[in-house]
């Protein structure tokens, strides 16, 4: 399952509002693994609230970190250094 990260995040939030936590975590995890920081933060809040297990949070965190790492490149770093 792929899709748009923001759309997955929105689906997860909607499911969470409807108290369908299992489905919410599923969508938010997919989005976090695509590099969506907001989804990772939502899963973190659910973990801190006792809704999500430590394992699920760790999986989402690892997936997020992997996605962010994939987007890094020397060229991007150089452009950011020069223009920002």
């Amino acid at each position: 399952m792929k899709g748009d990260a923001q759309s997955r995040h929105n689906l997860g939030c909607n499911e969470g509002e409807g108290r369908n936590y299992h489905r919410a975590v599923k969508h938010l995890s997919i989005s976090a693994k695509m590099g969506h920081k907001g989804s990772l933060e939502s899963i973190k809040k659910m973990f801190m609230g006792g809704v999500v297990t430590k394992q699920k949070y760790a999986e989402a965190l690892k997936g997020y970190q992997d996605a962010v790492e994939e987007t890094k490149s020397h060229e991007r770093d150089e452009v950011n250094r020069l223009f920002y």
Side-chain angles (χ1 to χ4, degrees):
M1 260 191 222
K2 293 286 181 188
D4 178 65
Q6 184 63 49
S7 296
R8 286 283 183 177
H9 174 77
N10 293 343
L11 285 169
C13 291
N14 288 339
E15 292 291 353
E17 289 173 6
R19 299 188 187 270
N20 296 319
Y21 298 122
H22 178 73
R23 292 178 73 175
V25 172
K26 178 181 174 182
H27 289 297
L28 293 170
S29 292
I30 292 169
S31 181
K33 291 175 184 177
M34 294 170 76
H36 194 282
K37 188 173 179 113
S39 290
L40 180 63
E41 291 298 318
S42 294
I43 292 171
K44 180 180 177 182
K45 288 178 186 175
M46 293 172 80
F47 168 65
M48 295 179 78
V51 177
V52 173
T53 65
K54 185 175 183 179
Q55 179 182 353
K56 287 287 186 186
Y57 174 60
E59 288 173 9
L61 179 60
K62 173 80 168 94
Y64 172 78
Q65 290 171 335
D66 289 347
V68 169
E69 189 63 34
E70 283 181 20
T71 63
K72 289 185 179 179
S73 71
H74 174 70
E75 290 83 10
R76 283 185 188 195
D77 293 341
E78 188 66 18
V79 168
N80 285 332
R81 184 183 70 77
L82 292 172
F83 296 104
Y84 300 104

